[in-house]
């Protein structure tokens, strides 16, 4: 039986770092997409932008814990999906991790939903866990390109990794 | 190389409905992952829930933490006749549920689930649930709480099997 879970593409950041990782020409042969990301950088939001859609087309709910308290936030009219958080470059060898699930990415009749979980661990008092849901409020485009960046200036550090998987219910 | 992640069954609603059932589930896997994506009718939001092996007894419990608008909270359901895992709304809603060790016949069955929603009244839910029964799971019904709305056409459910060695 064919596997329902396949790697589409991957990227490892090389020496000098990178501020942007792009997966383009994503095939429409799957049902859902999954990103598995390991990053080290200054602590930040990890942003997703679909199909170069930088208008205020993203709406989000997030829920977070920082080791002491929990909070939640509703954000509308965002110019990118504030999908989850990055790692922190405060401790040697410690990277943050995130899993991002993109439902029904090739549909052209309804908005696309994204669920994500991310952690930013470090050997210090505050470390963070974020659960988020985001909607790309464009109905008539299949997602065929994903730009991954961070909300403030700076690079993803060397050895940060980005994996894109396709999940098929065919 | 043997595959470790296989589709078992998938269903996309072609019309409004309240219940989707997968039966005769093979015991050949170790865990099951259920993925739901959908939206409700305009008649109201509805609880999204799972029922195993058509067991309608009060044998389900779950605990959730959730972020709703600007508020975070937690709650628990006990002695339920369905495993309640969140709320499907008139915004598109996703659910990813992991049903671990589903075919063993010695332990109660745990479920770990995340609901993804941008609805300002419901938001993100992280659930841990339990079916208090030692039987192997051979059927899974995804359904709403009776009397509360319906799933619209285009809503879909897929179950995947994760293979052991």
């Amino acid at each position: 039986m064919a596997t329902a879970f396949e790697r589409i593409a991957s990227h490892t950041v090389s020496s000098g770092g990178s501020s942007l990782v792009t997966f383009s020409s994503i095939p429409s042969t799957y049902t859902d997409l999954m990103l598995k990301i390991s990053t080290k950088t200054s602590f930040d939001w990890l942003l997703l932008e679909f199909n170069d859609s930088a208008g205020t087309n993203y709406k989000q709910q997030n829920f977070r814990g920082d080791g002491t308290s929990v909070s939640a936030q509703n954000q509308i009219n965002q110019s990118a999906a504030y999908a989850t958080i990055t790692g922190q470059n405060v401790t040697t060898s410690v990277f943050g991790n995130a899993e991002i699930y993109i439902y029904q990415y090739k549909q052209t009749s309804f908005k696309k939903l994204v669920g994500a979980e991310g952690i930013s661990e470090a050997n210090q008092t505050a470390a963070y866990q974020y659960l988020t849901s985001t909607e790309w409020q464009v109905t008539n485009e299949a997602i065929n390109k994903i730009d991954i960046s961070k909300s403030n200036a700076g690079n993803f550090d060397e050895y940060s990794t980005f994996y894109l998987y396709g999940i098929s219910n065919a | 190389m043997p595959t470790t992640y296989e589709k078992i069954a998938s269903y996309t609603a072609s019309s409004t409905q309240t219940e989707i059932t997968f039966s005769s589930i093979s015991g050949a896997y170790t865990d099951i992952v259920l993925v739901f994506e959908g939206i409700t009718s305009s008649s109201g939001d509805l609880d999204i829930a799972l029922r195993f092996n058509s067991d309608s007894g009060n044998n389900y419990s779950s605990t959730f933490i959730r972020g709703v608008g600007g508020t975070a909270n937690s709650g628990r359901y006990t002695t339920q006749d369905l495993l309640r895992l969140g709320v499907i709304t008139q915004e598109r809603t996703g659910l990813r549920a992991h049903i671990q060790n589903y075919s063993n016949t010695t332990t109660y069955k745990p479920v770990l689930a995340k609901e993804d929603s941008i609805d300002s009244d419901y938001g993100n839910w992280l659930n841990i649930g339990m079916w208090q029964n030692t039987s192997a799971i051979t059927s899974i019904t995804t359904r709403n709480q009776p009397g509360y709305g319906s799933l619209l056409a285009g809503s879909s459910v897929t179950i995947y099997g994760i293979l052991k060695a």
Side-chain angles (χ1 to χ4, degrees):
Chain A
M1 182 180 291
T3 181
F5 196 111
E6 292 181 341
R7 189 185 72 175
I8 297 172
S10 65
H11 179 78
T12 301
V13 175
S14 57
S15 176
S18 175
S19 61
L20 175 68
V21 173
T22 297
F23 293 117
S24 58
S25 302
I26 298 169
S28 60
T29 49
Y30 303 96
T31 309
D32 301 326
L33 299 176
M34 181 184 285
L35 284 161
K36 288 182 178 283
I37 295 173
S38 171
T39 58
K40 188 178 181 69
T41 179
S42 56
F43 180 60
D44 207 348
W45 280 102
L46 191 147
L47 306 184
L48 301 183
E49 185 179 299
F50 302 124
N51 297 4
D52 299 318
S53 173
T56 52
N57 297 322
Y58 302 85
K59 184 176 179 182
Q60 179 195 12
Q61 287 269 330
N62 69 64
F63 175 35
R64 74 167 200 167
D66 60 11
T68 303
S69 61
V70 293
S71 61
Q73 188 177 25
N74 182 28
Q75 296 176 300
I76 61 174
N77 298 327
Q78 301 294 308
S79 59
Y82 285 61
T84 183
I85 51 173
T86 68
Q88 304 177 74
N89 55 4
V90 296
T91 307
T92 302
S93 302
V94 175
F95 284 63
N97 292 289
E99 181 174 291
I100 301 169
Y101 199 93
I102 305 170
Y103 296 88
Q104 303 282 345
Y105 73 103
K106 65 183 177 184
Q107 288 295 324
T108 56
S109 58
F110 54 75
K111 302 168 185 174
K112 266 62 82 179
L113 182 67
V114 179
E117 301 82 47
I119 58 105
S120 181
E121 183 55 88
N123 187 20
Q124 60 182 20
T125 302
Y128 303 92
Q129 178 178 2
Y130 275 62
L131 307 178
T132 64
S133 300
T134 304
E135 189 174 70
W136 184 43
Q137 300 189 295
V138 172
T139 60
N140 61 353
E141 291 184 35
I143 293 172
N144 54 42
K145 181 184 179 189
I146 303 172
D147 286 322
I148 306 167
S149 62
K150 54 203 289 289
S151 59
N152 293 306
N155 289 337
F156 296 115
D157 290 359
E158 184 181 17
Y159 306 123
S160 295
T161 58
F162 302 79
Y163 288 85
L164 175 65
Y165 297 92
I167 300 169
S168 175
N169 71 3
Chain B
M1 179 184 294
T3 58
T4 57
Y5 199 107
E6 294 179 348
K7 184 199 78 172
I8 298 173
S10 183
Y11 180 83
T12 300
S14 58
S15 60
T16 298
Q17 59 191 96
T18 59
E19 182 174 301
I20 298 169
T21 296
F22 298 114
S23 57
S24 302
I25 296 171
S26 162
Y29 304 94
T30 308
D31 302 328
I32 286 175
V33 175
L34 179 147
V35 178
F36 167 88
E37 199 276 349
I39 192 167
T40 69
S41 64
S42 60
S43 58
D45 305 329
L46 58 89
D47 281 6
I48 186 73
L50 302 182
R51 177 172 284 167
F52 301 121
N53 295 6
S54 303
D55 178 11
S56 59
N58 294 326
N59 298 318
Y60 304 85
S61 58
S62 61
T63 302
F64 66 82
I65 56 173
R66 66 180 181 181
V68 182
T71 304
N73 58 30
S74 176
R76 177 160 170 77
Y77 300 112
T78 58
T79 58
Q80 300 290 305
D81 62 357
L82 296 162
L83 185 59
R84 299 168 67 177
L85 297 176
V87 176
I88 307 298
T89 73
Q90 293 165 53
E91 301 274 11
R92 299 209 74 84
T93 304
L95 178 75
R96 292 167 281 153
H98 295 253
I99 306 164
Q100 295 159 342
N101 209 3
Y102 73 101
S103 62
N104 90 84
T105 55
T106 56
T107 70
Y108 291 173
K109 305 303 180 295
V111 177
L112 176 63
K114 162 98 185 299
E115 182 194 82
D116 300 304
S117 170
I118 52 101
D119 189 287
S120 58
D121 290 331
Y122 296 104
N124 297 279
W125 295 53
L126 189 64
N127 291 275
I128 291 179
M130 177 78 75
W131 179 40
Q132 296 162 31
N133 193 302
T134 59
S135 300
I137 292 173
T138 56
S139 81
I140 301 173
T141 298
T142 304
R143 61 167 299 161
N144 62 289
Q145 190 178 18
Y148 290 85
S150 301
L151 300 174
L152 290 183
S155 299
S156 64
V157 184
T158 301
I159 56 172
Y160 300 93
I162 300 177
L163 284 169
K164 55 188 109 177

